[in-house]
Amino acid sequence: MAAPGSDIEHGYPHLDTVRAAITALYRRLSRDTVDTFGLSVLPGDVAFSDQDDLYLGVQRVARVMVQHLRLPDARMIVSFREMRHAGNVELAAGPEYFIELNSRFKTHRRDIGAALAHEVTHVYLHRLGLSFPGTRDNEILTDTTAAYLGTGWLLLDAYRQDSLTSQKLGYLTPEEFGYVLAKRALLFDEDPSPWFTSPQAYEAYTRGLELARRDQSHPPLAAAGWTGRRRYAKDRRSARSDHPSPATGGDYAFDDGPPLSVSFPCPTCRQRIRVPVRGRLRARCGLCRTVLECDT
């Protein structure tokens, strides 16, 4: 996890990896299992005041994460030490897992839940056998999984900035966290924005929500706007001609068949879907089972 107070990157530099992580999660878990995470960890479940006993409180919050991620056999032993990063977990065979947190969390307890959300998700993915090659991509997978399955809103809420200090936990940018949380919100009709105590986190979430909603309005989806539909119609005419030009739509691509078909990413899981070009039709994603209204 990124060190608090470091320079904070913004925008969507890891978006392709984030989207690949969402797809990988559906492939490994199935839509039915994803649906069991419809309720996020609530703020009251991870509240941690200065009056609480430090070690009992840490064990309590760790247990919340373990239970949320359906890890009944995993016992977390949490300690503190001076380190560069926010946390570290020893991924052994279990049943005990050893988590180390940065000693700064002894006096910054409000973010202990965020740090544990990331580290316990490492344990969850380890037990699933799901990983990406390379440390960077694997950490992005961990952040994305935490956010998509209901604990990672705490990681975004740990993002705070003022004239003197700045802090961000996790490898995703604030806007990328907002995007993943928004994808979750659109799936489960769950609005996490009232839980944010950081105004910067709320702003990042709203920006991520805009991008997530745009995923649902790209052609050939019927909800596409006028500009996108016009560009799509031009690319479709080109695909039908004897000398097709490269498509400019970005996400969609035509296959001259026969018959002519178009492929595009599912707005929910990002798995690519191929449908025939024959006007209005209803398609169903084979991975996440989302039913899509299309105008091909």
Side-chain angles (χ1 to χ4, degrees):
M1 300 180 71
S6 59
D7 291 337
I8 294 176
E9 189 175 21
H10 288 277
Y12 301 96
H14 316 112
L15 185 59
D16 288 345
T17 307
V18 167
R19 286 171 166 169
I22 293 174
T23 305
L25 205 56
Y26 274 95
R27 286 176 178 163
R28 181 63 183 85
L29 292 181
S30 82
R31 174 61 184 265
D32 288 338
T33 303
V34 170
D35 283 347
T36 66
F37 292 93
L39 296 177
S40 290
V41 167
L42 297 176
D45 296 335
V46 293
F48 202 145
S49 74
D50 292 339
Q51 287 71 46
D52 291 338
D53 179 273
L54 176 63
Y55 290 95
L56 290 178
V58 167
Q59 291 296 331
R60 174 179 58 80
V61 176
R63 195 177 310 116
V64 169
M65 300 301 170
V66 167
Q67 291 174 348
H68 182 83
L69 292 174
R70 322 295 200 263
L71 292 169
D73 298 327
R75 180 169 171 243
M76 304 293 165
I77 299 174
V78 185
S79 62
F80 296 85
R81 72 174 175 89
E82 294 288 340
M83 67 176 82
R84 179 186 173 195
H85 299 293
N88 181 59
V89 62
E90 180 182 321
L91 294 175
E96 294 182 341
Y97 291 87
F98 297 90
I99 294 176
E100 294 177 317
L101 298 182
N102 192 305
S103 58
R104 74 182 295 272
F105 289 120
K106 289 182 178 181
T107 54
H108 293 77
R109 299 183 180 188
R110 64 185 291 187
D111 297 323
I112 284 177
L116 288 173
H118 180 95
E119 302 304 337
V120 176
T121 301
H122 267 303
V123 175
Y124 178 71
L125 292 172
H126 175 69
R127 291 170 73 94
L128 279 181
L130 177 59
S131 64
F132 278 178
T135 299
R136 169 188 167 276
D137 287 359
N138 205 49
E139 295 290 354
I140 291 170
L141 170 64
T142 302
D143 279 343
T144 302
T145 300
Y148 203 76
L149 297 187
T151 64
W153 68 268
L154 290 158
L155 285 157
L156 178 55
D157 196 42
Y159 164 49
R160 292 185 289 278
Q161 226 169 357
D162 57 37
S163 58
L164 298 177
T165 61
S166 63
Q167 171 183 284
K168 184 187 77 68
L169 301 182
Y171 284 77
L172 302 186
T173 68
E175 293 78 14
E176 288 167 343
F177 269 122
Y179 172 77
V180 180
L181 291 172
K183 299 288 280 187
R184 171 185 170 80
L186 294 171
L187 176 66
F188 292 118
D189 193 24
E190 176 190 74
D191 181 10
S193 58
W195 304 333
F196 295 128
T197 61
S198 163
Q200 292 84 15
Y202 178 81
E203 292 169 5
Y205 172 70
T206 58
R207 288 193 289 271
L209 182 59
E210 291 174 2
L211 181 59
R213 283 175 171 160
R214 286 202 295 272
D215 284 352
Q216 298 181 320
S217 59
H218 287 301
L221 298 174
W226 181 83
T227 302
R229 295 297 314 163
R230 184 177 181 183
R231 184 182 64 240
Y232 177 84
K234 178 183 177 181
D235 293 337
R236 183 177 56 200
R237 286 195 300 271
S238 177
R240 284 172 166 162
S241 70
D242 293 334
H243 305 287
S245 60
T248 60
D251 280 347
Y252 59 80
F254 290 99
D255 182 353
D256 56 7
L260 184 66
S261 62
V262 61
S263 64
F264 60 96
C266 170
T268 299
C269 70
R270 304 300 299 181
Q271 170 89 344
R272 291 196 73 83
I273 300 170
R274 176 173 279 104
V275 295
V277 175
R278 63 182 189 201
R280 284 193 169 267
L281 55 84
R282 182 173 291 175
R284 185 182 186 186
C285 176
L287 182 59
C288 70
R289 305 200 304 268
T290 300
V291 177
L292 304 169
E293 298 291 338
C294 304
D295 188 353
T296 61

